[in-house]
Amino acid sequence: MGADFELRDHTADVAVEARGPTLEAVFSAAADGLAAAQCDAIPDSGERFSIDVDAESREALLFDYLDELIYERDVRSVLPVENRVEAIEGGSDGAGWTLSGSVRGVPLDRVEAREVKAVTYSEMRIEEREDEWYAYVVLDV
């Protein structure tokens, strides 16, 4: 008798739902959600460093920002936490979007981190609602 297999539905994703009074605040909250998806307890160690990202749209900016944090994690061997987005510029002139911010990089050898492989565009939303901003992003774990 030969070997066989079955294909089964499998969800290997985590969604981050973020809210904030400003677009900057909701981007920071989404990035903090990315950190929380990777680690339960975050120590106070680590140095701050700057993050600057450019993109064609708000959604692409959020995607590229979170993707940059994953890249920095891999290159610097740190978990980016305490994410602060200080400015987001862009809009109707067609020049694209720009984000400037900073993060604290906790050395990975000081935390027990789970891997988030990638950010996805699946179901991504960024909306201004009544008196707050809202973002929803799915992470591949």
Side-chain angles (χ1 to χ4, degrees):
M1 193 160 201
D4 65 0
F5 63 90
E6 291 182 44
L7 297 178
R8 301 180 184 252
D9 291 334
H10 176 70
T11 302
D13 298 328
V14 171
V16 175
E17 192 172 35
R19 291 180 174 79
T22 64
L23 188 57
E24 290 88 349
V26 85
F27 271 57
S28 294
D32 288 341
L34 170 63
Q38 296 174 83
C39 185
D40 295 325
I42 299 170
D44 292 332
S45 62
E47 300 295 320
R48 291 200 76 77
F49 59 92
S50 296
I51 295 280
D52 295 299
V53 179
D54 297 312
E56 297 175 2
S57 68
R58 262 193 330 228
E59 290 76 11
L61 188 65
L62 180 57
F63 179 95
D64 289 351
Y65 173 51
L66 298 177
D67 192 52
E68 179 70 18
L69 294 174
I70 292 170
Y71 171 80
E72 294 292 342
R73 176 202 66 198
D74 294 344
V75 170
R76 295 178 186 249
S77 294
V78 297
L79 178 66
V81 300
E82 291 178 12
N83 300 275
R84 295 183 193 150
V85 174
E86 285 113 20
I88 294 178
E89 298 175 359
S92 61
D93 64 357
W97 291 80
T98 300
L99 174 149
S100 295
S102 66
V103 302
R104 179 168 60 90
V106 176
L108 284 177
D109 61 3
R110 300 221 177 129
V111 295
E112 198 169 311
R114 296 176 293 274
E115 183 179 8
V116 170
K117 296 176 190 171
V119 183
T120 74
Y121 275 110
S122 174
E123 302 179 51
M124 181 181 283
R125 288 189 308 279
I126 301 172
E127 310 171 340
E128 188 173 11
R129 298 177 171 178
E130 295 181 23
D131 58 351
E132 73 176 1
W133 282 89
Y134 171 86
Y136 184 87
V137 62
V138 176
L139 308 171
D140 180 19
V141 293

